[in-house]
Amino acid sequence: MKYIYYPGCSLKSTGRPYEESLLAVFKELQIPMEELHDWNCCGATSYMSVDELKAFGLAARNLALAESQNGINGNGDPDVHIVAPCSACYLVLIKTERYLKEYKNERKAVIKGLKTIGLDYNGKAVIRHPVDVLFNDIGLESIAKHIKKPLKGIKVASYYGCQMIRPFELFDPVHYPVTLDLLVDKLGATPLDWPLKTRCCGGSLTGTLHEAGMRLNYRLLSEAKKRGADMIITTCPLCQFNLECYQDRISSYTGKKIEMPILYFTQLVGLALGIPEKKLGIHRSFIRFPNFQALEMEV
Amino acid sequence: MTFSFLRTRKWKYQKPSRIEQDKTVRRRIKYESELDIGFREKIAKMAWGERLDSCMQCGTCSATCPVSHYMDYTPRRIIDMVRQGFKEEVLNSFTLWVCASCYSCTVECPRGIKITDVMYALKREAIKQGFHPKRFLIPMLASKFYKQVLRHGRQNEGRLILSLYLSANPLLLLRNSKLAFRLWRRGRMKLFEKGIRNKASIRKLLSSIERREEEPVQ
Ligand code: SF4
Ligand code: SF4
């Protein structure tokens, strides 16, 4: 089975390190994956705010494309797995799938629309998050076999964010998710237990309602710092951006110096697998973890 | 240490009702005849709004909401006001635009109401009926996003924010220029990016869905 990779717009710009590290890690673990040809924007939260049916139609185009790319048009091979690393895309695609399943009339309208551009949708595509794939399909044990540099002595706070685990409980409990912590533990680092794992980072509020967004991020960062985290790992390009890029501003607002490296979880996995920093896009982060070089030396 | 940004600011938004504009003595309650009774049904018919009626006003949603202290009506009140038909107040409310779609309320609601989806439904209504204040960033972002995707099939964060700030408040550009530069230096920001190959297909798809929306789908 080949996974179909749906990058989404963020992974092509601000989230570039995520894409680089994700592809590198999947390659290292020999997980076959190819990019969805000619994918379009999933519509994110903004599209949903403008027009419901169109938002779902837009996202459904990707699902239909994925099905045709896997060559199942019509004869029902259930193995279309779309990997959507951005949490917002992930949720939008899942919601679209459910919407088309639950609302029959709207489904008809969307499918008719898709037919006008020569696509068909059967409802076979399954949407997966890379955390889900690594944890459930590949398994921690087989990841452990590939580890070259255990990340000893780093305290990692896993930040799950909102849309990967809410509102649907797909692979992790909504109130106390654990997958990332187990993964961190397997990589040799120390997972940090903290209460704000799934607290909102504000999403696009940091751009539109600046103060509110800054406040939410300040809470996350200061809590992680208070508990002695060396870094925070995220699963979503928007969370990573919010937590990382506004740190200097938050420091100047509050008068407290906050310097917390924010990595994508794939970057952390990549480091443990011994993939060079450059390939993981770590040189693109604003705040660097001081000991990465030391980790490299350890081998 | 100054926590200036932690204080709630007075936001510039349209007052909930125009009734209060003149200073004469006014009643503050609405009569039955002034309420929009069909409003509840309209919202309940949109995606995942069905369970609206079962709300028991427990307030769990407001309690879990990470931004409820920035709202003028808490999510609990919004739900009830929708049910009672306070259309103007709801659609004028700042709450809709503060909601960050974090789904905390949706997973906690003991009655299984999909509050986040109700908020989406209300946002759509407010945009459609022109209820949001001018030059207010959040709905502007939504419609800019909408247009960009319609044109290119994908969106480009750099250009989206640039055009948003340009038309809303160019001062914001100044404030964020350093951030933009830092992103660009690290190869994380591009202003030009090609969209999808088959751009016409997006327009065709969306316009065909639009046409069908007018006439009821059987
Ligand atoms: S949590 Fe649910 S039942 Fe309770 S007030 Fe909110 S919407 Fe109503
Ligand atoms: S989805 Fe919106 S209303 Fe609900 S808790 Fe999150 S921010 Fe509050």
Side-chain angles (χ1 to χ4, degrees):
Chain A
M1 182 184 69
K2 213 174 203 172
Y3 291 100
I4 294 182
Y5 168 51
Y6 174 77
C9 308
S10 289
L11 265 78
K12 296 290 177 193
S13 58
T14 48
R16 245 171 100 188
Y18 196 8
E19 172 168 60
E20 287 164 348
S21 58
L22 179 79
L23 295 182
V25 165
F26 270 49
K27 203 168 147 213
E28 186 74 21
L29 294 174
Q30 290 154 2
I31 310 171
M33 185 163 75
E34 68 176 345
E35 189 169 327
L36 180 61
H37 303 311
D38 210 29
W39 54 271
N40 61 269
C41 172
C42 72
T45 53
S46 300
Y47 232 78
M48 267 301 286
S49 318
V50 177
D51 191 317
E52 175 183 316
L53 201 59
K54 277 188 199 174
F56 289 123
L58 192 70
R61 180 175 176 270
N62 292 310
L63 301 180
L65 276 177
E67 287 186 353
S68 68
Q69 185 164 334
N70 239 14
I72 63 143
N73 253 340
N75 49 25
D77 172 2
D79 272 359
V80 189
H81 285 239
I82 305 176
V83 175
C86 167
S87 299
C89 302
Y90 174 69
L91 183 62
V92 167
L93 294 181
I94 288 181
K95 274 182 96 165
T96 307
E97 190 212 344
R98 302 212 166 192
Y99 180 79
L100 295 178
K101 217 173 256 165
E102 282 173 35
Y103 296 88
K104 294 283 178 297
N105 289 344
E106 284 75 2
R107 181 194 172 94
K108 264 185 215 154
V110 168
I111 287 184
K112 258 190 196 166
L114 286 174
K115 286 237 166 78
T116 61
I117 54 168
L119 285 171
D120 198 11
Y121 174 68
N122 298 303
K124 291 286 183 319
V126 184
I127 297 102
R128 310 286 303 273
H129 196 278
V131 178
D132 182 15
V133 171
L134 288 183
F135 192 80
N136 290 319
D137 290 11
I138 311 304
L140 293 184
E141 288 312 318
S142 46
I143 295 176
K145 277 184 209 133
H146 287 84
I147 292 179
K148 300 210 178 71
K149 294 175 197 165
L151 306 169
K152 285 269 173 311
I154 310 182
K155 227 175 179 188
V156 180
S158 308
Y159 176 61
Y160 295 76
C162 305
Q163 307 206 335
M164 182 176 86
I165 45 168
R166 281 195 302 255
F168 306 117
E169 204 162 32
L170 290 169
F171 61 93
D172 227 350
V174 279
H175 290 107
Y176 197 77
V178 286
T179 42
L180 281 178
D181 295 285
L182 293 174
L183 184 68
V184 165
D185 187 43
K186 212 47 177 195
L187 300 178
T190 319
L192 180 83
D193 187 20
W194 64 315
L196 302 183
K197 281 180 177 185
T198 62
R199 194 74 175 167
C200 182
C201 73
S204 58
L205 284 187
T206 46
T208 48
L209 203 68
H210 199 63
E211 279 82 349
M214 291 299 99
R215 168 130 169 79
L216 293 169
N217 284 295
Y218 167 72
R219 281 196 54 191
L220 291 171
L221 290 167
S222 62
E223 181 68 26
K225 197 178 172 191
K226 202 171 83 190
R227 289 175 184 252
D230 290 321
M231 61 168 77
I232 299 179
I233 55 169
T234 63
T235 60
C236 169
L238 195 54
C239 302
Q240 200 272 349
F241 179 82
N242 281 343
L243 284 170
E244 180 179 54
C245 300
Y246 293 112
Q247 283 187 19
D248 52 343
R249 229 174 271 180
I250 294 176
S251 302
S252 76
Y253 284 148
T254 58
K256 272 190 201 158
K257 188 109 184 99
I258 295 177
E259 263 200 6
M260 179 71 72
I262 315 287
L263 291 192
Y264 291 105
F265 79 102
T266 42
Q267 291 180 312
L268 198 71
V269 176
L271 283 173
L273 297 182
I275 302 171
E277 264 188 49
K278 197 105 193 183
K279 276 198 183 150
L280 296 172
I282 286 181
H283 58 292
R284 297 189 198 279
S285 27
F286 283 18
I287 295 139
R288 293 174 53 89
F289 184 65
N291 287 338
F292 283 151
Q293 296 304 332
L295 282 174
E296 299 253 330
M297 308 295 285
E298 229 172 62
V299 199
Chain B
M1 211 187 331
T2 53
F3 278 87
S4 61
F5 79 103
L6 303 183
R7 251 178 273 134
T8 350
R9 267 231 251 120
K10 271 229 170 71
W11 303 101
K12 278 194 204 110
Y13 71 101
Q14 232 166 317
K15 274 276 156 55
S17 72
R18 275 160 218 114
I19 302 168
E20 292 180 25
Q21 272 170 4
D22 55 329
K23 296 274 189 290
T24 49
V25 178
R26 290 273 170 182
R27 68 185 155 87
R28 300 287 297 264
I29 52 165
K30 279 200 159 183
Y31 291 150
E32 202 73 358
S33 59
E34 293 162 339
L35 299 175
D36 187 338
I37 304 302
F39 189 51
R40 185 198 68 76
E41 253 163 66
K42 192 168 183 187
I43 298 299
K45 246 201 248 147
M46 296 203 200
W48 297 294
E50 301 90 350
R51 300 185 58 98
L52 202 59
D53 265 343
S54 62
C55 173
M56 58 181 178
Q57 291 291 295
C58 65
T60 310
C61 46
S62 310
T64 57
C65 179
V67 284
S68 61
H69 49 289
Y70 289 103
M71 294 172 168
D72 45 359
Y73 301 113
T74 59
R76 174 188 67 86
R77 290 180 74 181
I78 288 284
I79 297 285
D80 201 41
M81 282 159 68
V82 171
R83 282 197 306 193
Q84 309 294 342
F86 287 85
K87 178 176 146 188
E88 251 189 52
E89 284 82 351
V90 169
L91 294 187
N92 265 321
S93 162
F94 192 51
T95 300
L96 312 184
W97 311 112
V98 185
C99 171
S101 312
C102 74
Y103 293 90
S104 302
C105 49
T106 303
V107 295
E108 301 297 347
C109 175
R111 288 299 173 96
I113 298 168
K114 309 264 189 288
I115 302 150
T116 316
D117 293 299
V118 174
M119 291 285 180
Y120 273 133
L122 295 172
K123 283 181 214 184
R124 285 194 295 271
E125 273 308 295
I127 289 186
K128 208 186 275 170
Q129 306 195 13
F131 264 100
H132 63 83
K134 273 213 180 68
R135 282 163 63 96
F136 182 48
L137 283 178
I138 301 169
M140 269 172 84
L141 176 73
S143 39
K144 286 238 184 285
F145 191 104
Y146 186 86
K147 276 186 206 133
Q148 205 181 70
V149 173
L150 193 61
R151 206 171 320 136
H152 305 282
R154 292 182 191 164
Q155 59 94 5
N156 174 315
E157 286 155 344
R159 219 170 34 202
L160 184 68
I161 293 294
L162 183 72
S163 78
L164 173 71
Y165 286 170
L166 264 185
S167 48
N169 182 356
L171 275 180
L172 288 171
L173 268 184
L174 221 61
R175 190 167 80 176
N176 288 300
S177 56
K178 190 173 147 218
L179 175 60
F181 178 69
R182 291 177 75 191
L183 281 171
W184 175 78
R185 277 242 337 253
R186 288 168 177 79
R188 285 168 66 179
M189 171 117 113
K190 285 182 243 163
L191 281 185
F192 301 99
E193 197 164 12
K194 51 181 179 7
I196 64 171
R197 254 180 296 131
N198 196 349
K199 290 183 186 111
S201 77
I202 295 280
R203 271 193 295 274
K204 208 168 158 194
L205 170 68
L206 291 182
S207 65
S208 72
I209 289 179
E210 180 166 43
R211 260 207 311 283
R212 216 145 281 129
E213 208 183 11
E214 244 85 283
E215 55 202 63
V217 202
Q218 63 307 74

